[in-house]
Amino acid sequence: MMVMEATVAQRLQFSTWIDSEKVARRPSSSARCSQRLKVQNKLRVLVAAHLPTSRVSNRHRHVALEVSCSYNKFPASTVESGNFQTPFDESLVLKNKAQAIEPYLNGRCIYLVGMMGSGKTTVGKILSQAINYSFIDSDTLVEHEVGGTSVAEIFKLNGEGFFRDKETDVLRKLSLMHRLVVSTGGGAVVRPINWKCMNMGISVWLDVPLEALAQRIAAVGTGSRPLLHHESGDAYRKRGDSYANASARVSLENIAAKLGYRDVSSLTPTAIVIEVLEQIEVFLKEEDGHARITF
């Protein structure tokens, strides 16, 4: 069945008084009035806005404005059209996207993979609430298996090999469960057997720029990041290749570019979760062969 989408343009027109300095200083527009109007304190502005409504994206949209200015008996001065990005309600977008996708997950677990400091726990908790799943941190389960000993202490007392064995045991048990969002340890991707477990569900790679990761880790300290003291830079590069095996990739740089941000630090966790759902949607459609799933 072919689904046709159409874009409907709406036109809104209104008149208002604004401060001329605000027109001149607004960096996100290309609006300019004539010099003799800008010397006045107030401008009468006629705004005609074209408001497109489309199903292509709920994340953000641009509004084309045609503006004319006049003051007292001065003739109107045409202002160049500009594109103004309108804000969107992240919580509403997240709710709608989650409701659309959740039925097609069929209860499969979602495994979040990524470097330490990539935000797996924060994103995982918001994601689990949105799709009515439970949230699990695999490192926390490993700690529980070892009598409450912290990951850092496990590495110190028992070594990495012991920790990895426990991690695999935990992932094997989780692979038999349903309706879980699992935040995995940063090194869970190094063992092929772990991928076999995670492939029982859907894996999502949170791809965060190294500079942003370094800033996050520096902010919280390295005490809870034992691998920073046990592995070389080569190990991190090899791990980066392993992340690419995930079912879906969520690039924070791509999200920032789409939303018009210069830095990924400007992104909200909710915006990242929305992208997670969008990438899961892409994966589900590819997995299904575009045959039955329509969001």
Side-chain angles (χ1 to χ4, degrees):
M1 180 179 68
M2 181 178 296
V3 179
M4 299 184 65
E5 296 184 352
T7 300
V8 180
Q10 298 177 339
R11 183 178 178 87
L12 172 67
Q13 182 171 304
F14 61 92
S15 178
T16 186
W17 287 99
I18 66 170
D19 190 327
S20 62
E21 288 298 314
K22 292 182 179 179
V23 174
R25 294 177 181 176
R26 184 173 181 82
S28 61
S29 71
S30 60
R32 297 184 182 86
C33 292
S34 64
Q35 185 61 39
R36 63 177 176 175
L37 292 182
K38 287 200 291 186
V39 299
Q40 309 296 334
N41 290 330
K42 296 288 183 179
L43 299 175
R44 170 66 70 180
V45 177
L46 178 65
V47 180
H50 296 277
L51 307 176
T53 59
S54 173
R55 294 181 58 192
V56 174
S57 174
N58 290 323
R59 297 289 298 278
H60 57 282
R61 61 181 180 176
H62 292 274
V63 178
L65 300 180
E66 297 175 357
V67 186
S68 62
C69 304
S70 64
Y71 178 77
N72 289 343
K73 295 182 180 180
F74 286 130
S77 173
T78 300
V79 181
E80 299 175 24
S81 298
N83 287 326
F84 298 78
Q85 185 167 317
T86 61
F88 64 95
D89 186 339
E90 286 185 337
S91 60
L92 181 58
V93 173
L94 175 58
K95 178 181 178 180
N96 292 338
K97 180 64 68 175
Q99 289 178 343
I101 291 177
E102 190 274 334
Y104 296 97
L105 295 174
N106 295 321
R108 283 188 290 180
C109 294
I110 296 175
Y111 297 87
L112 301 179
V113 302
M115 299 284 276
M116 60 183 70
S118 60
K120 298 185 293 290
T121 298
T122 300
V123 169
K125 289 180 178 179
I126 298 174
L127 175 61
S128 63
Q129 292 177 356
I131 59 176
N132 295 314
Y133 272 34
S134 297
F135 173 78
I136 293 290
D137 186 304
S138 66
D139 281 354
T140 300
L141 290 183
V142 172
E143 292 174 341
H144 179 74
E145 291 286 327
V146 191
T149 306
S150 69
V151 172
E153 284 297 310
I154 294 174
F155 268 80
K156 181 178 179 180
L157 299 175
N158 306 103
E160 182 182 354
F162 176 86
F163 173 83
R164 294 298 173 204
D165 289 341
K166 291 295 182 181
E167 182 177 57
T168 297
D169 289 341
V170 164
L171 290 174
R172 184 180 293 112
K173 293 176 183 178
L174 292 174
S175 69
L176 302 176
M177 301 180 184
H178 297 87
R179 301 187 68 83
L180 297 175
V181 173
V182 182
S183 171
T184 66
V189 298
V190 298
R191 287 189 172 184
I193 184 62
N194 292 345
W195 279 110
K196 184 177 180 180
C197 296
M198 291 188 288
N199 285 338
M200 298 293 290
I202 300 172
S203 54
V204 179
W205 171 24
L206 299 184
D207 186 7
V208 182
L210 288 177
E211 182 179 349
L213 288 172
Q215 292 174 349
R216 293 180 181 183
I217 294 173
V220 300
T222 61
S224 61
R225 312 288 181 175
L227 293 187
L228 289 177
H229 307 289
H230 288 79
E231 293 191 348
S232 65
D234 288 339
Y236 283 106
R237 283 188 285 274
K238 292 178 181 178
R239 187 179 297 177
D241 294 336
S242 297
Y243 291 135
N245 292 320
S247 308
R249 170 178 173 258
V250 172
S251 167
L252 267 64
E253 287 185 328
N254 289 347
I255 304 173
K258 284 195 291 185
L259 297 181
Y261 297 135
R262 295 182 179 179
D263 196 299
V264 300
S265 63
S266 300
L267 296 174
T268 65
T270 300
I272 298 172
V273 174
I274 293 171
E275 182 69 13
V276 168
L277 290 172
E278 290 187 349
Q279 294 306 317
I280 289 177
E281 176 184 337
V282 172
F283 167 75
L284 290 174
K285 288 183 175 181
E286 292 178 348
E287 182 185 55
D288 194 70
H290 303 274
R292 297 183 301 275
I293 297 180
T294 54
F295 295 100

